Amino acid sequence: DALKAIATTLKVPQMKEVSHKVEALQEQLRQLQKENAELKEKAAAAASGEVFKNVQEANGHSFIASQVSVSDAGALRTFADTWKQKDYSDVLVLVAAIGEKVNVLVASKTKDIHAGNLIKELAPIVNGRGGGKPDMAMAGGSNQAAIQELLAAVPEKFRDFFQCHIPLMSGSVFWRRPFFWTGSGCFRQLWLWLQEPVSWFRALSQWYNLPPR
């Protein structure tokens, strides 16, 4: 009975043709999804021209912080992919109100700024949380009223980052190298840092291989 109902819904005269009809519909769906993705890419590319013009600078690093209108979080990643292709800025911060939620994306081209740790500092501003890799991270939140506050906080986080250093000593020479990121003081960053043993082990190795300043 169920199969007959499906055949009727699909307007298939014979039961044996149901599977072929389903396969044809699946292929049609895949094609529509592909076309939809292409349209999103074109829309993001068209809008990125204006978004990427607003380049700011803090502590010697350039960044773009902007609110964009998109239909889903995937469109934010499309923006980031477009941004990566050219030398627009060192860091990209995008925020979008989607439905009743807030989506945040941070992308970084510089080793000085860890996108995952930066977004951990920004997301709470919109009552959210998130994380990610050094080059790209995403977060979700619920307070759309705080979007502009989040964008305004980006240069402040840059300044905090370059004010927090860790002293290392080799012989009689002290080296000062920056942490991955700090937004609420060095103790906050030390806590984040110690939760990533692979990262801090790699960082210590890099620091000791660098010539003293």
Side-chain angles (χ1 to χ4, degrees):
D1 292 340
L3 191 57
K4 288 181 180 179
I6 294 173
T8 301
T9 302
L10 296 176
K11 298 179 181 180
V12 178
Q14 297 183 15
M15 300 289 290
K16 62 182 182 181
E17 296 180 5
V18 170
S19 61
H20 298 297
K21 183 66 174 181
V22 171
E23 290 175 0
L25 289 173
Q26 288 177 329
E27 179 59 31
Q28 185 179 358
L29 177 60
R30 283 192 290 269
Q31 186 62 32
L32 288 173
Q33 289 173 333
K34 180 180 178 181
E35 292 176 1
N36 185 46
E38 291 174 352
L39 287 173
K40 285 181 179 180
E41 289 180 3
K42 291 179 180 178
S48 64
E50 290 298 320
V51 173
F52 297 160
K53 286 181 181 178
N54 186 24
V55 181
Q56 305 176 61
E57 187 169 323
N59 289 84
H61 284 73
S62 59
F63 69 93
I64 295 169
S66 180
Q67 181 177 359
V68 294
S69 297
V70 295
S71 59
D72 55 48
L76 290 179
R77 288 189 287 268
T78 301
F79 265 102
D81 290 339
T82 302
W83 171 80
K84 285 181 178 180
Q85 294 173 11
K86 294 185 179 180
D87 188 21
Y88 290 107
S89 64
D90 297 324
V91 176
L92 174 68
V93 179
L94 295 178
V95 187
I98 303 174
E100 297 181 356
K101 301 295 184 179
V102 179
N103 285 78
V104 186
L105 178 143
V106 174
S108 175
K109 293 179 181 177
T110 172
K111 294 180 179 179
D112 292 335
I113 298 173
H114 189 297
N117 287 339
L118 172 54
I119 210 165
K120 288 178 183 178
E121 298 294 337
L122 293 173
I125 298 175
V126 290
N127 295 340
R129 58 184 299 178
K133 298 179 180 180
D135 63 331
M136 184 178 294
M138 298 193 73
S142 59
N143 187 6
Q144 294 186 356
I147 287 178
Q148 293 305 314
E149 180 184 350
L150 183 152
L151 295 173
V154 175
E156 177 186 347
K157 301 302 181 183
F158 272 54
R159 287 191 292 271
D160 288 345
F161 169 68
F162 288 102
Q163 288 172 359
C164 185
H165 291 75
I166 180 171
L168 299 177
M169 184 175 70
S170 176
S172 60
V173 180
F174 282 88
W175 298 347
R176 294 179 67 81
R177 307 296 300 176
F179 274 125
F180 292 118
W181 185 264
T182 181
S184 304
C186 293
F187 288 109
R188 162 69 173 165
Q189 176 52 34
L190 181 58
W191 173 246
L192 291 173
W193 192 56
L194 291 175
Q195 292 183 76
E196 302 179 14
V198 175
S199 296
W200 59 254
F201 179 80
R202 185 184 301 117
L204 286 174
S205 300
Q206 292 173 349
W207 283 332
Y208 278 104
N209 287 334
L210 287 173
R213 288 185 172 182

